[in-house]
Amino acid sequence: MQMPEPNTAILARKDRVVARLRDVLPGGAVISDPAETRAYECDALTAYRCAPMVAVLPGSTAEVSAVLKICHEEGVPVVPRGAGTSLAGGSLPTADCVVLGVSRMTQVLETNYADRYIRLQTGRTNLSVSGAVAEADFFYAPDPSSQLACAISGNIAMNSGGAHCLKYGVTTNNLMGVTLVLMDGTVVEIGGAHLDAGGLDLLGVICGSEGQLGVVTEATLRILRKPEGARPVLIGFDASETAGHCVSDIIRSGILPVAIEFMDRPCIEACEAFAHAGYPMCEALLIVEVEGSEAEIADQLDRIIAIARTHDPVALREAGDADEAARIWLGRKSAFGAMGQINDYMCLDGTIPVSSLPEVLRRIGELSEEYGLGVANVFHAGDGNMHPLILYNANTPGQLELCEALGAEILKLCVEVGGCLTGEHGVGVEKRDLMLHQYRPVDLEAQMAVKDVFDPEWLLNPAKVFPLTSSEARRMAAE
Amino acid sequence: MMKPQSEAELAEVVAGANGPLRIVGGGTRDVGRPVEGEELSTSGLSGVTLYEPGALTLVVRAGTPLGEVEAVLAGEGQRLAFEPMDHRGLLGTSGEPTIGGAVAANVSGPRRVQAGACRDFLLGVRFVDGAGRVVANGGRVMKNVTGYDLVKLMAGSWGSLGVLSELSFKVLAIPQAEATLVGRGLDPEAGVKALSVALGSPFDVSGAAHLCGGAARTQVRIEGLEASVAYRRDRLKELLPGFEAVEGADSAALWAEVRDVAPFAGQAGAVWKVSVRPSDAPGMCKALAEGGLAHQAILDWGGGLVWLLVPETGDGGAAAVRGQVAALGGHATLVRGSAALRNTVPVFQPEVPALAALSRGLRAKFDPRGILNPGLTG
Ligand SMILES: Cc1cc2nc3c(=O)[nH]c(=O)nc-3n(C[C@H](O)[C@H](O)[C@H](O)COP(=O)(O)OP(=O)(O)OC[C@H]3O[C@@H](n4cnc5c(N)ncnc54)[C@H](O)[C@@H]3O)c2cc1C
Ligand SMILES: Cc1cc2nc3c(=O)[nH]c(=O)nc-3n(C[C@H](O)[C@H](O)[C@H](O)COP(=O)(O)OP(=O)(O)OC[C@H]3O[C@@H](n4cnc5c(N)ncnc54)[C@H](O)[C@@H]3O)c2cc1C
């Protein structure tokens, strides 16, 4: 992984920068001791690490603004950070940067059930947003699997989604407004408690911009009333392709499940061994969840089961009660942990048109054989967001590189069939250099033009998203 | 008039333009500050390029008539869930609204409050920027976080960043059934309260509007499988005492009326579209009336979208309406007004300086010569 060389002139200014930061932040909020900055050296993509020059943990928008103003004046790059659960190296520091963490900014500022929104500081974790409105039977819909840990700030920057976004959409569909601090310290309010933008949809661009356009300190999120109930059905097939066809048929039929999850045999076996959820041993499993009242749930599940039967399922299990429902989800929810128990793995994140599912699964199987590395598949099938897990042995020299090469082939395959390189984890440093497989230079040029406007000196979250060769001229000019 | 027949030709036309261009889809609206410029019609860029009902995706050229898009989808039992309005009635225009025009204006109907806006269903765009470059962003899959989301930026940009050439959408099935609960004679406050109760219920309400005035009508819509609609209809009736259920085509007619702002169609006056916090809407209308601005109001989106019909005298209510928005937060757009009025009051909500600078910066990047619908957005 190539990162820009640290700027020695900046490193030479470290003492002054630290002193200035201490002037505007309370004691303890500026971390400059190399032993302590280590804690910020990577996110959940732990293969790449680099301790930052300084880390700061401001407590308010005003403090964030003060920090950015100083960094702007000193020409110091800034890497915004939420909880550090990015799987794409989105919050990977450079040695000459200030990591700006919002983990101390966790207050709920306002809840409004009549108008169905919550306003909060963005360091708050995803799951605790639903927690904050649970007493009124409301919830916040986007539910990344990392929701216990990840922060709303990271969700906004990565436009995160989860199992239930087939029905409820991802972060961008549930975000109404943000307080954004620009690199020069200017504070702007974009959107708010009303729907849709008055002018250009800047909110839409901020969401998913991977911390490169500004630091998001507060957010207004849509909250929804909880449905009366939800229940899954588990359907097993003797071929992955068949499961793929079944997904298409369910979607075509006009039923809108809240989730359709897919697991293939290697994944089923690993999960079963780990979680003992009682899964049937077969080539592919679907978990389809629907919502509503008891009668509505029963009606929808009947229809889904009727569709499934036309594909000769080898197993069919309807959850009779909450316990059985929990058991159906148990295996799926422990999939990543289970795979980690038996093997090192690399988790990919690509998206494909649902109709290409059978073909893509077949070709992943072929590639897996060609490279001699196992691939387990577990993913959000309803919206085509795949997470192939490539199994390898980290201790065997050369396997990581082989694994990366296979990963790149699979992601290119996703693009080839009309999909994209990342459906929810983001580009970060991980997929930066694959961007030219999905976009032409002119397309990236248009995206970089947006960065030019928000962050003319290219100081925010350096060397992410765009291939280094594409952004080189801009980064040089800015130095 | 220029009418390119392909994206490549469109790019040539824009690159070769030596003056301002007035971009026209169906030309069914005449909104924004009137644009002086050579007409550039997108109607030559028409037709569906890809439709996969099983993946819920449609890719279509921007100049395709909305009616054609809707017919193609209906053939497979699907639709554009964001319910784009036909505003020929309101604006007294003729022509065929295009899908590109709907996207350029981010046209979202009553289902906005549940399903999302036009921009939420837009998966990918291709457009020609002001320098004549063909740019693609997004794609045709529902989840995509590969780079910056210019798709959203293009929706609602009113042709000021680029001329859209091709669009991809997430579409949804036409539900088996719909029903609407209708309450009559409520004042706006009670009406919005009822809408909030419905939207705060677990019954998945897909439309919530209140038409003010003498024959006040408060309406709440549910859609889905037949049995499910029947169940939720009965539960909502318990929550909304005095409301009566209307089903099927009668229900659909009630929503077409709200979607197209039909009550204002034949009446003279300026029309404002205001977006505020739903519970602020009744107070805002009251304050406007007390401040001397006679008006009629339709409250959609649970009260969050307020359509106002006001006399077209003086500033057409601009100072009063914008004053309210300044106090409450939100934004106001003058959707209907004479050219003279639109030339004197800002049609779109003026932005605070820091945001205006960002918008200006983006326009300068995407349209360096300032030739795309110059001045339209103020
Ligand atoms: C086990 C596991 C499961 C996961 N499952 C999912 C899943 O189901 N769906 C999914 O979408 N993702 C998933 N992820 C990925 C990750 O959790 C998400 O990307 C999440 O949104 C990151 O949030 P964070 O707070 O940890 O952000 P970080 O890792 O701290 O940062 C992520 C990005 O956000 C930027 N950022 C952070 N804070 C700010 C701010 N205040 N202003 C501007 N930019 C900021 C950073 O610069 C970086 O680019 C998973 C990760 C793990 C480890
Ligand atoms: C201020 C305003 C608010 C509105 N609000 C709503 C609403 O809330 N809900 C609703 O349902 N409807 C709304 N409408 C109606 C909506 O604008 C029309 O349905 C739609 O614009 C009709 O398409 P058309 O092809 O006739 O557009 P046209 O009248 O031809 O064009 C509309 C606008 O889009 C631009 N444009 C057209 N095609 C392209 C293209 N291919 N690329 C770039 N720019 C293009 C034009 O320059 C023009 O500015 C609103 C209209 C206006 C003016």
Side-chain angles (χ1 to χ4, degrees), chain A residues 114-117 158 172-173 188-189 194-196 201 212 222 225-226 228 251-252 254 293 296 351 355 385 417 422 424 438-440 443 447 451-452, chain B residues 52 54 56 76 112-113 119-120 134 136-138 140 143 145-146 148 173 196 199-203 228 231-232 275 277 279 330-331 354-355 365:
Chain A
D115 296 328
R116 300 168 302 286
Y117 68 85
M158 291 307 197
T172 193
N173 309 118
V188 291
E189 298 287 338
H194 51 275
L195 289 175
D196 295 346
D201 190 352
Q212 291 198 309
R222 247 161 93 93
R225 176 65 194 261
K226 273 187 205 150
E228 287 179 86
I251 288 180
R252 275 235 50 179
S293 65
E296 291 175 288
T351 302
S355 52
N385 189 185
V417 299
T422 167
E424 59 181 24
Q438 181 169 338
Y439 287 121
R440 299 162 306 154
D443 303 329
Q447 296 178 31
K451 170 120 173 119
D452 290 340
Chain B
E52 283 188 14
L56 302 177
E76 294 287 343
R112 167 70 182 97
V113 68
R119 54 91 101 173
D120 294 296
V134 177
N137 191 259
R140 63 179 174 101
K143 287 174 81 183
V145 292
T146 322
Y148 299 167
S196 277
L199 286 166
S201 79
F203 305 123
S228 162
Y231 170 83
R232 289 181 283 145
S275 185
R277 236 188 311 235
S279 58
H331 53 93
L355 283 179
K365 287 280 179 188

Coordinates of all heavy atoms in Angstrom, one line a residue, chain A residues 114-117 158 172-173 188-189 194-196 201 212 222 225-226 228 251-252 254 293 296 351 355 385 417 422 424 438-440 443 447 451-452, chain B residues 52 54 56 76 112-113 119-120 134 136-138 140 143 145-146 148 173 196 199-203 228 231-232 275 277 279 330-331 354-355 365:
Chain A
A114 N -43.2 13.8 17.1 CA -44.3 14.3 16.2 C -43.7 14.5 14.8 O -44.4 14.2 13.8 CB -44.8 15.6 16.7
D115 N -42.5 15.0 14.7 CA -41.9 15.3 13.4 C -40.9 14.2 13.0 O -40.3 14.3 11.9 CB -41.2 16.6 13.3 CG -42.3 17.8 13.5 OD1 -43.4 17.6 13.1 OD2 -41.9 18.8 14.1
R116 N -40.8 13.2 13.8 CA -40.0 12.0 13.5 C -38.6 12.2 13.2 O -38.1 11.7 12.1 CB -40.8 11.1 12.5 CG -42.2 10.7 12.9 CD -43.0 10.2 11.7 NE -43.1 11.1 10.6 CZ -43.9 12.2 10.6 NH1 -44.6 12.4 11.7 NH2 -43.9 13.0 9.6
Y117 N -37.9 12.9 14.0 CA -36.4 13.0 13.8 C -35.7 13.1 15.2 O -36.3 13.3 16.2 CB -36.1 14.3 13.0 CG -36.3 15.6 13.7 CD1 -35.4 16.2 14.5 CD2 -37.5 16.3 13.4 CE1 -35.6 17.4 15.1 CE2 -37.8 17.5 14.1 CZ -36.8 18.0 14.9 OH -37.0 19.3 15.5
M158 N -19.4 7.0 5.2 CA -19.4 5.8 4.4 C -20.7 5.5 3.7 O -20.9 4.5 3.0 CB -18.9 4.6 5.2 CG -17.4 4.7 5.5 SD -16.4 5.0 4.1 CE -14.7 4.6 4.7
T172 N -27.9 7.6 3.5 CA -28.3 8.8 2.7 C -29.8 8.9 2.6 O -30.4 10.0 2.5 CB -27.7 8.8 1.3 OG1 -27.8 10.1 0.7 CG2 -28.3 7.8 0.4
N173 N -30.6 7.8 2.7 CA -32.0 7.9 2.6 C -32.7 8.2 4.0 O -33.9 8.4 4.1 CB -32.6 6.6 2.1 CG -31.9 6.1 0.9 OD1 -31.3 5.0 0.8 ND2 -32.0 6.9 -0.2
V188 N -21.0 25.1 8.7 CA -22.3 25.3 7.9 C -23.3 24.2 8.3 O -23.0 23.1 8.7 CB -22.0 25.1 6.3 CG1 -21.2 26.3 5.8 CG2 -21.3 23.8 6.0
E189 N -24.6 24.7 8.2 CA -25.7 23.8 8.4 C -26.2 23.4 7.1 O -26.6 24.3 6.2 CB -26.8 24.5 9.2 CG -26.4 25.0 10.6 CD -26.3 23.9 11.6 OE1 -26.9 22.8 11.4 OE2 -25.6 24.1 12.6
H194 N -36.5 19.5 8.1 CA -37.5 19.5 7.1 C -36.9 18.6 5.9 O -35.7 18.3 5.9 CB -37.6 20.9 6.5 CG -36.3 21.6 6.2 ND1 -35.6 22.2 7.1 CD2 -35.6 21.6 5.0 CE1 -34.5 22.7 6.6 NE2 -34.5 22.3 5.3
L195 N -37.8 18.2 5.0 CA -37.3 17.3 3.9 C -36.8 18.0 2.7 O -37.3 19.1 2.4 CB -38.5 16.4 3.5 CG -38.9 15.3 4.5 CD1 -40.2 14.6 4.0 CD2 -37.8 14.3 4.8
D196 N -35.8 17.5 2.1 CA -35.2 17.9 0.8 C -34.5 19.3 0.9 O -34.9 20.2 1.6 CB -36.3 17.9 -0.3 CG -36.7 16.5 -0.5 OD1 -36.1 15.6 -0.1 OD2 -37.8 16.3 -1.2
D201 N -28.2 19.7 -3.7 CA -28.3 18.7 -2.7 C -26.9 18.4 -2.1 O -26.3 17.3 -2.4 CB -28.9 17.4 -3.3 CG -29.3 16.4 -2.2 OD1 -28.9 16.6 -1.0 OD2 -29.9 15.4 -2.6
Q212 N -13.7 13.5 3.4 CA -12.8 14.3 2.6 C -13.4 15.7 2.3 O -12.7 16.5 1.6 CB -12.5 13.6 1.2 CG -11.7 12.3 1.4 CD -11.0 11.9 0.1 OE1 -11.7 11.8 -0.9 NE2 -9.7 11.7 0.2
R222 N -33.7 10.7 10.4 CA -35.1 10.3 10.4 C -35.3 9.1 11.4 O -34.5 8.2 11.3 CB -35.5 9.8 9.0 CG -36.4 10.5 8.2 CD -36.2 10.1 6.8 NE -37.1 9.0 6.5 CZ -38.3 9.2 5.9 NH1 -38.7 10.3 5.6 NH2 -39.0 8.1 5.6
R225 N -41.3 4.6 13.4 CA -42.0 3.8 14.3 C -41.7 2.3 14.1 O -41.7 1.9 12.9 CB -43.5 4.1 14.2 CG -44.4 3.2 15.1 CD -44.2 3.5 16.6 NE -44.8 2.4 17.4 CZ -46.0 2.5 17.9 NH1 -46.7 3.7 17.9 NH2 -46.5 1.5 18.6
K226 N -41.5 1.6 15.1 CA -41.2 0.1 15.0 C -42.4 -0.6 14.4 O -43.5 -0.3 14.8 CB -40.9 -0.5 16.3 CG -39.5 -0.4 16.7 CD -39.3 -1.2 18.0 CE -38.1 -0.7 18.8 NZ -38.2 -0.8 20.2
E228 N -45.0 -3.7 14.0 CA -45.6 -4.5 15.1 C -44.8 -5.8 15.4 O -44.6 -6.2 16.5 CB -47.0 -5.0 14.8 CG -48.0 -3.8 14.9 CD -49.4 -4.2 14.5 OE1 -50.1 -4.7 15.4 OE2 -49.8 -4.1 13.3
I251 N -38.5 -10.9 -5.3 CA -38.5 -9.4 -5.5 C -39.5 -9.0 -6.6 O -40.2 -8.1 -6.5 CB -37.1 -8.9 -5.9 CG1 -36.2 -9.0 -4.6 CG2 -37.1 -7.5 -6.4 CD1 -34.8 -8.6 -4.8
R252 N -39.5 -9.8 -7.7 CA -40.4 -9.6 -8.8 C -41.9 -9.6 -8.4 O -42.7 -9.0 -8.9 CB -40.2 -10.7 -9.9 CG -39.1 -10.4 -10.8 CD -39.6 -10.4 -12.2 NE -40.8 -9.6 -12.5 CZ -41.4 -9.5 -13.6 NH1 -41.0 -10.1 -14.7 NH2 -42.5 -8.8 -13.7
G254 N -43.4 -8.6 -6.0 CA -44.1 -7.4 -5.4 C -44.1 -7.4 -3.9 O -44.5 -6.5 -3.3
S293 N -48.1 -7.0 11.2 CA -48.8 -7.7 12.3 C -48.7 -9.2 12.1 O -48.2 -9.7 11.0 CB -50.3 -7.3 12.2 OG -50.8 -7.8 11.0
E296 N -50.3 -10.2 8.8 CA -49.6 -9.8 7.7 C -48.3 -10.6 7.4 O -48.0 -10.9 6.3 CB -49.2 -8.3 7.9 CG -50.3 -7.3 7.8 CD -49.9 -5.9 8.2 OE1 -49.5 -5.7 9.3 OE2 -49.8 -5.1 7.2
T351 N -21.0 -5.0 -5.3 CA -22.4 -5.0 -5.5 C -22.7 -5.4 -6.9 O -22.0 -5.0 -7.8 CB -23.1 -3.7 -5.2 OG1 -22.8 -3.4 -3.8 CG2 -24.6 -3.7 -5.4
S355 N -30.0 -9.8 -10.7 CA -30.2 -10.8 -11.8 C -29.0 -11.5 -12.2 O -29.0 -12.6 -12.8 CB -30.8 -10.1 -13.0 OG -30.0 -9.0 -13.4
N385 N -25.7 -6.9 -2.6 CA -24.5 -6.5 -2.0 C -23.8 -7.7 -1.5 O -24.2 -8.3 -0.5 CB -24.8 -5.5 -0.8 CG -23.5 -4.9 -0.2 OD1 -23.6 -4.1 0.8 ND2 -22.4 -5.1 -0.8
V417 N -20.3 -7.1 -14.6 CA -21.7 -7.5 -14.8 C -22.7 -6.3 -14.5 O -23.9 -6.5 -14.5 CB -22.1 -8.7 -13.9 CG1 -21.3 -9.9 -14.3 CG2 -22.0 -8.4 -12.4
T422 N -17.8 -1.2 -4.4 CA -18.2 -1.3 -3.0 C -19.6 -0.8 -2.8 O -20.1 0.2 -3.3 CB -17.2 -0.4 -2.1 OG1 -17.8 -0.3 -0.8 CG2 -16.9 0.9 -2.7
E424 N -21.0 -0.9 0.6 CA -21.2 -0.3 1.9 C -19.9 0.0 2.7 O -19.9 0.8 3.5 CB -22.2 -1.1 2.7 CG -21.7 -2.5 3.0 CD -22.7 -3.4 3.8 OE1 -23.9 -3.0 3.8 OE2 -22.2 -4.3 4.4
Q438 N -14.0 1.0 -12.5 CA -15.4 1.4 -12.6 C -15.6 2.7 -13.3 O -16.6 2.9 -13.9 CB -16.0 1.4 -11.1 CG -17.5 1.7 -11.1 CD -18.1 1.5 -9.8 OE1 -17.6 0.8 -9.0 NE2 -19.2 2.2 -9.6
Y439 N -14.7 3.6 -13.1 CA -14.9 5.0 -13.6 C -13.8 5.3 -14.6 O -12.6 5.0 -14.4 CB -14.9 6.0 -12.5 CG -16.2 6.0 -11.7 CD1 -16.2 5.7 -10.3 CD2 -17.4 6.2 -12.2 CE1 -17.3 5.7 -9.5 CE2 -18.6 6.1 -11.5 CZ -18.5 5.9 -10.1 OH -19.7 5.9 -9.4
R440 N -14.2 6.1 -15.6 CA -13.2 6.7 -16.5 C -12.5 7.9 -15.8 O -13.1 8.5 -14.9 CB -13.9 7.1 -17.8 CG -14.6 5.9 -18.6 CD -15.6 6.5 -19.6 NE -16.5 7.4 -18.9 CZ -17.1 8.4 -19.5 NH1 -16.9 8.7 -20.8 NH2 -17.9 9.2 -18.8
D443 N -14.7 10.8 -15.2 CA -15.7 10.6 -14.1 C -15.1 10.9 -12.8 O -15.7 11.5 -11.9 CB -16.2 9.2 -14.1 CG -16.9 8.8 -15.4 OD1 -17.4 9.6 -16.1 OD2 -16.8 7.6 -15.8
Q447 N -15.6 14.0 -9.8 CA -15.6 13.8 -8.3 C -14.6 14.7 -7.6 O -14.8 15.3 -6.6 CB -15.5 12.4 -8.0 CG -16.6 11.5 -8.5 CD -16.4 10.0 -8.2 OE1 -15.8 9.6 -7.2 NE2 -16.9 9.2 -9.1
K451 N -14.2 17.9 -4.5 CA -13.2 18.0 -3.4 C -12.5 19.4 -3.5 O -12.3 20.0 -2.5 CB -12.2 16.9 -3.5 CG -11.0 17.0 -2.6 CD -10.9 15.9 -1.6 CE -9.6 16.0 -0.8 NZ -9.8 16.2 0.7
D452 N -12.1 19.8 -4.7 CA -11.5 21.1 -4.9 C -12.3 22.2 -4.3 O -11.7 23.2 -3.8 CB -11.4 21.4 -6.4 CG -10.3 20.5 -7.1 OD1 -9.5 19.9 -6.5 OD2 -10.4 20.4 -8.4
Chain B
E52 N -34.9 -4.3 -16.0 CA -34.8 -5.6 -15.4 C -35.8 -5.7 -14.2 O -35.5 -5.3 -13.1 CB -33.4 -5.9 -14.8 CG -32.4 -6.3 -15.9 CD -31.1 -6.8 -15.3 OE1 -31.0 -7.0 -14.1 OE2 -30.1 -6.9 -16.0
G54 N -36.8 -8.0 -12.4 CA -36.4 -8.9 -11.3 C -35.4 -8.3 -10.5 O -35.1 -8.7 -9.4
L56 N -35.5 -4.8 -10.1 CA -36.1 -3.6 -9.8 C -35.3 -2.4 -10.4 O -35.3 -1.3 -9.8 CB -36.3 -3.4 -8.3 CG -37.1 -4.4 -7.5 CD1 -37.0 -4.1 -6.0 CD2 -38.5 -4.5 -8.0
E76 N -45.2 -4.3 -16.4 CA -44.6 -5.4 -15.6 C -45.1 -5.2 -14.2 O -44.5 -5.8 -13.2 CB -43.1 -5.3 -15.6 CG -42.4 -5.6 -16.9 CD -42.4 -7.0 -17.3 OE1 -42.7 -7.9 -16.4 OE2 -42.3 -7.4 -18.5
R112 N -43.4 10.8 -0.8 CA -42.1 11.2 -0.3 C -41.9 10.9 1.2 O -40.8 10.5 1.6 CB -42.0 12.8 -0.5 CG -40.8 13.4 0.3 CD -39.5 13.0 -0.3 NE -38.3 13.6 0.3 CZ -37.6 12.9 1.2 NH1 -38.0 11.8 1.7 NH2 -36.5 13.5 1.7
V113 N -43.0 11.1 1.9 CA -42.9 11.1 3.4 C -42.5 9.6 3.9 O -41.9 9.4 4.9 CB -44.2 11.6 4.0 CG1 -45.3 10.7 3.8 CG2 -44.0 11.8 5.5
R119 N -34.7 11.7 -5.7 CA -33.2 11.5 -5.6 C -32.9 10.2 -4.9 O -31.9 9.6 -5.1 CB -32.5 12.6 -4.9 CG -33.1 13.0 -3.5 CD -32.4 12.3 -2.4 NE -31.4 13.1 -1.7 CZ -30.8 12.7 -0.6 NH1 -31.1 11.6 -0.1 NH2 -29.8 13.4 -0.1
D120 N -33.8 9.7 -4.0 CA -33.6 8.5 -3.3 C -33.8 7.2 -4.2 O -33.3 6.1 -3.9 CB -34.5 8.3 -2.1 CG -34.2 9.4 -1.1 OD1 -33.1 9.4 -0.5 OD2 -35.1 10.3 -0.8
V134 N -18.7 14.2 -21.1 CA -19.7 13.2 -20.7 C -19.2 12.6 -19.4 O -18.1 12.0 -19.3 CB -19.9 12.1 -21.8 CG1 -20.9 11.1 -21.3 CG2 -20.3 12.7 -23.1
A136 N -20.1 10.1 -16.0 CA -21.0 9.1 -15.4 C -20.8 9.0 -13.9 O -19.7 9.2 -13.5 CB -20.7 7.7 -16.1
N137 N -21.8 8.7 -13.2 CA -21.7 8.5 -11.7 C -22.8 7.6 -11.3 O -23.8 7.5 -11.8 CB -21.8 9.9 -11.0 CG -21.4 9.8 -9.5 OD1 -22.3 9.7 -8.6 ND2 -20.1 9.8 -9.3
G138 N -22.4 6.8 -10.2 CA -23.4 5.8 -9.7 C -23.4 4.7 -10.7 O -22.4 4.4 -11.3
R140 N -26.2 1.1 -11.7 CA -27.6 0.6 -11.7 C -27.9 -0.4 -10.6 O -28.7 -1.3 -10.7 CB -28.0 0.0 -13.0 CG -27.1 -1.2 -13.4 CD -27.6 -1.7 -14.8 NE -26.8 -2.7 -15.3 CZ -27.1 -4.0 -15.3 NH1 -28.2 -4.4 -14.8 NH2 -26.3 -4.9 -15.8
K143 N -27.0 -0.4 -3.9 CA -26.1 0.0 -3.0 C -24.8 0.3 -3.7 O -24.3 -0.6 -4.5 CB -25.9 -1.0 -1.9 CG -27.0 -1.1 -0.9 CD -26.9 -2.2 0.0 CE -26.0 -1.8 1.2 NZ -25.9 -3.0 2.1
V145 N -21.2 2.8 -2.9 CA -20.5 3.8 -2.2 C -19.1 4.0 -2.9 O -18.2 4.3 -2.2 CB -20.4 3.6 -0.7 CG1 -21.8 3.7 -0.1 CG2 -19.8 2.2 -0.4
T146 N -19.1 3.8 -4.2 CA -17.8 3.9 -4.9 C -17.5 5.3 -5.3 O -18.0 5.8 -6.3 CB -17.8 3.0 -6.1 OG1 -18.6 1.8 -5.8 CG2 -16.4 2.6 -6.5
Y148 N -17.6 9.6 -4.7 CA -18.6 10.6 -4.2 C -19.9 10.4 -5.0 O -20.0 10.0 -6.2 CB -18.1 12.1 -4.5 CG -16.9 12.5 -3.8 CD1 -16.2 13.6 -4.2 CD2 -16.3 11.7 -2.8 CE1 -15.1 14.0 -3.5 CE2 -15.2 12.1 -2.1 CZ -14.5 13.3 -2.5 OH -13.4 13.7 -1.9
A173 N -42.8 -2.5 -7.1 CA -44.0 -3.1 -7.6 C -45.2 -2.2 -7.3 O -45.2 -1.5 -6.3 CB -44.2 -4.4 -7.0
S196 N -49.7 13.2 12.2 CA -48.6 12.7 13.0 C -48.9 11.4 13.7 O -48.0 10.6 13.8 CB -48.2 13.8 14.0 OG -47.5 14.8 13.5
L199 N -48.6 8.7 11.1 CA -47.2 8.5 10.7 C -46.4 7.9 11.8 O -45.3 7.3 11.6 CB -46.5 9.8 10.2 CG -47.0 10.2 8.8 CD1 -46.6 11.7 8.5 CD2 -46.5 9.3 7.7
G200 N -46.8 8.2 13.1 CA -46.1 7.7 14.2 C -46.6 6.3 14.6 O -46.2 5.7 15.6
S201 N -47.5 5.7 13.9 CA -48.0 4.4 14.1 C -47.2 3.4 13.4 O -46.4 3.7 12.5 CB -49.5 4.3 13.6 OG -49.5 4.1 12.2
P202 N -47.3 2.1 13.8 CA -46.5 1.1 13.0 C -47.1 0.7 11.7 O -46.7 -0.3 11.2 CB -46.5 -0.1 14.0 CG -47.5 0.1 15.1 CD -48.0 1.5 14.9
F203 N -48.1 1.4 11.2 CA -48.9 0.9 10.1 C -48.5 1.4 8.7 O -49.2 1.3 7.7 CB -50.4 1.2 10.3 CG -50.9 0.6 11.6 CD1 -51.4 1.5 12.6 CD2 -50.6 -0.7 12.0 CE1 -51.8 1.0 13.8 CE2 -51.0 -1.2 13.2 CZ -51.6 -0.4 14.1
S228 N -53.2 -7.1 4.2 CA -52.4 -6.2 5.0 C -53.1 -4.8 5.0 O -53.1 -4.2 6.0 CB -51.0 -6.2 4.5 OG -50.3 -5.0 4.9
Y231 N -56.1 -4.8 7.2 CA -55.8 -4.9 8.6 C -55.4 -3.5 9.1 O -55.8 -3.0 10.1 CB -54.6 -5.9 8.8 CG -54.0 -5.8 10.2 CD1 -54.6 -6.4 11.3 CD2 -52.9 -5.0 10.4 CE1 -54.1 -6.3 12.6 CE2 -52.3 -4.9 11.7 CZ -52.9 -5.6 12.8 OH -52.4 -5.5 14.0
R232 N -54.5 -2.9 8.3 CA -53.9 -1.6 8.8 C -55.0 -0.5 8.7 O -55.1 0.4 9.5 CB -52.7 -1.2 7.9 CG -51.5 -2.0 8.3 CD -50.3 -1.7 7.5 NE -50.3 -2.2 6.1 CZ -49.9 -1.6 5.1 NH1 -49.3 -0.4 5.2 NH2 -49.9 -2.1 3.9
S275 N -41.1 24.0 2.5 CA -40.7 22.8 3.2 C -40.3 23.2 4.6 O -39.4 24.0 4.8 CB -39.5 22.1 2.5 OG -39.2 20.9 3.1
R277 N -40.7 21.9 9.2 CA -41.0 20.8 10.1 C -42.5 20.6 10.1 O -43.3 21.6 10.2 CB -40.6 21.2 11.5 CG -39.6 20.3 12.2 CD -39.5 20.8 13.6 NE -39.2 22.2 13.7 CZ -38.1 22.7 14.3 NH1 -37.2 21.9 14.8 NH2 -37.9 24.0 14.3
S279 N -44.9 19.8 12.1 CA -45.7 20.4 13.2 C -45.7 21.9 13.2 O -46.5 22.6 13.8 CB -45.3 19.8 14.5 OG -44.0 20.1 14.8
G330 N -36.1 25.7 7.0 CA -36.7 25.1 5.9 C -36.4 25.9 4.6 O -35.5 26.7 4.6
H331 N -37.3 25.8 3.6 CA -37.0 26.6 2.4 C -38.3 26.8 1.7 O -39.3 26.0 1.8 CB -36.0 25.9 1.5 CG -36.2 24.5 1.2 ND1 -36.9 24.1 0.1 CD2 -35.9 23.4 1.9 CE1 -37.0 22.8 0.1 NE2 -36.4 22.3 1.2
A354 N -22.0 31.0 3.3 CA -21.0 29.9 3.2 C -21.6 28.8 2.3 O -20.8 28.2 1.5 CB -20.8 29.3 4.6
L355 N -22.9 28.5 2.3 CA -23.4 27.5 1.4 C -23.5 28.1 0.0 O -23.2 27.3 -1.0 CB -24.8 27.1 1.9 CG -24.9 26.2 3.1 CD1 -26.4 25.9 3.4 CD2 -24.2 24.9 2.8
K365 N -17.2 24.8 -11.4 CA -16.4 23.6 -11.8 C -17.1 22.9 -12.9 O -16.5 22.4 -13.9 CB -16.2 22.7 -10.6 CG -15.3 23.1 -9.6 CD -13.8 22.9 -10.0 CE -12.9 23.4 -9.0 NZ -11.5 23.3 -9.4

